[in-house]
Amino acid sequence: MPDFEELQNRLPTAFQSFTELRRDGAVYVDKTAFVQTLAGNRKPRILTRPRRFGKSTLLSTLEELFLHGVEPYDGHNSYFKGLAIEKTWKDHGNYPVLHLDFHGLNSSCVTAEQFRNKLIRRIADFCEEHSLTVRKDPIDLEEQLDSMLARLPPASLVLLIDEYDSPLLYHAQDEKELRVCTLLMRELFSTVKRRSDKFRCVFFTGITRFQDLDLGTAGNSFTDISMDSDYAACCGYTRGELKHCFTDHLRYAAAVRLGIKDDEVTEENVESLLDEMALWYNGYSFDGKDTSQVFST
């Protein structure tokens, strides 16, 4: 069995992108079957989960897939080598991917207007990186997005937004600031709806129920998959995934917990450890039927 330091180094303890996990040899629980289903559908989708469920890793997996596909590139093997999607995904990638982390963008902002300005600058940087000429100082977000999308071919842009509701939650107790944030979100959602032909994939994550947001008709084109049984285990770890992917970690922990040698650990010891872990981290079910439970990460 690997020693403690090796086991610790393989744990995905802090946020790491999909490519970082794969490059560094950390444990990656294969969620690419879900990723393929998400990536294969052009209809805009939203997934809400509590924090610490791997939403950011899921988004970064989609980003890598659309940027490079599943073939080797830049002198190294594909990061999807050996995963479920490797032999089933046929698209070669090379899409422009606009990946926005609203929590990160909002983290240093005091007002909604500061967030708006940072968001517009981030999109302007993206346009510059992809040689898309847009107005340097747009009147509003909708105008900037329209200008960008007009310069892109149909079904080309991948839009990924992590914690799209972060600014709304931050200003939830300030009616004036919340109104500014809500209008900004309406501009974003209405543009995606109106210019849907330009997008190859649209996927947002957050922690707030989509139905609770005051977006008017702007969000009608989005499908909320948060309680869809097909995606119940797309984030978090099932008990089976823990046993399969963290076998050595579980055996080591069980040995330490019981004060025995590694080779003395039985299957019953591991199951008992998982039962105890379940008291702290398990019991989440996102299929509406309580049939597919996952541990938080």
Side-chain angles (χ1 to χ4, degrees), residues 44-48 208-211 222-228:
R45 293 165 185 267
I46 284 182
L47 175 76
T48 59
T208 307
R209 282 194 351 139
F210 180 53
Q211 297 89 335
F222 280 72
T223 299
D224 186 351
I225 62 171
S226 304
M227 297 299 290
D228 188 325

Side-chain angles (χ1 to χ4, degrees), residues 64-96:
E64 173 65 13
L65 184 66
F66 280 117
L67 285 176
H68 301 114
V70 297
E71 300 298 325
Y73 67 95
D74 289 350
H76 61 74
N77 280 326
S78 166
Y79 291 116
F80 293 97
K81 185 174 179 60
L83 300 179
I85 202 172
E86 182 188 14
K87 298 186 184 301
T88 56
W89 183 252
K90 304 304 180 185
D91 200 320
H92 296 294
N94 200 32
Y95 291 91

Side-chain angles (χ1 to χ4, degrees), residues 29 33 82 88 92 116 133 140 142 173 184 187 194 200 214 217 241 251 273:
V29 177
T88 56
H92 296 294
R116 171 195 176 277
T133 304
D140 54 34
E142 193 167 3
Q173 304 305 316
L184 193 66
E187 289 179 25
R194 184 166 39 80
R200 170 61 181 81
D214 182 18
T217 61
E241 287 171 337
R251 291 184 64 83
L273 173 64

Side-chain angles (χ1 to χ4, degrees), residues 229-290:
S229 59
D230 289 340
Y231 298 97
C234 69
C235 290
Y237 301 148
T238 67
R239 189 173 181 123
E241 287 171 337
L242 279 173
K243 291 175 65 176
H244 177 72
C245 297
F246 295 90
T247 303
D248 290 337
H249 296 85
L250 290 171
R251 291 184 64 83
Y252 186 96
V256 171
R257 176 171 171 262
L258 297 171
I260 60 178
K261 295 179 180 179
D262 298 343
D263 57 7
E264 296 175 343
V265 174
T266 65
E267 183 70 18
E268 290 74 16
N269 297 150
V270 172
E271 293 293 340
S272 178
L273 173 64
L274 284 166
D275 287 341
E276 188 171 335
M277 291 171 60
L279 294 175
W280 294 94
Y281 302 108
N282 199 12
Y284 296 93
S285 179
F286 300 103
D287 62 359
K289 304 171 186 176
D290 201 31

Side-chain angles (χ1 to χ4, degrees), residues 89 113 118 126 134 171 175 183 189 200 246 248:
W89 183 252
E113 185 65 18
K118 284 188 70 174
F126 170 84
V134 297
H171 294 293
E175 185 176 344
L183 291 174
F189 279 80
R200 170 61 181 81
F246 295 90
D248 290 337

Side-chain angles (χ1 to χ4, degrees), residues 76-134:
H76 61 74
N77 280 326
S78 166
Y79 291 116
F80 293 97
K81 185 174 179 60
L83 300 179
I85 202 172
E86 182 188 14
K87 298 186 184 301
T88 56
W89 183 252
K90 304 304 180 185
D91 200 320
H92 296 294
N94 200 32
Y95 291 91
V97 178
L98 179 55
H99 185 172
L100 301 169
D101 174 9
F102 274 18
H103 177 72
L105 283 173
N106 190 61
S107 61
S108 60
C109 299
V110 176
T111 67
E113 185 65 18
Q114 288 176 336
F115 170 75
R116 171 195 176 277
N117 293 337
K118 284 188 70 174
L119 175 59
I120 286 177
R121 284 199 300 271
R122 171 67 184 87
I123 296 173
D125 290 342
F126 170 84
C127 291
E128 185 175 347
E129 291 166 9
H130 292 81
S131 302
L132 302 172
T133 304
V134 297

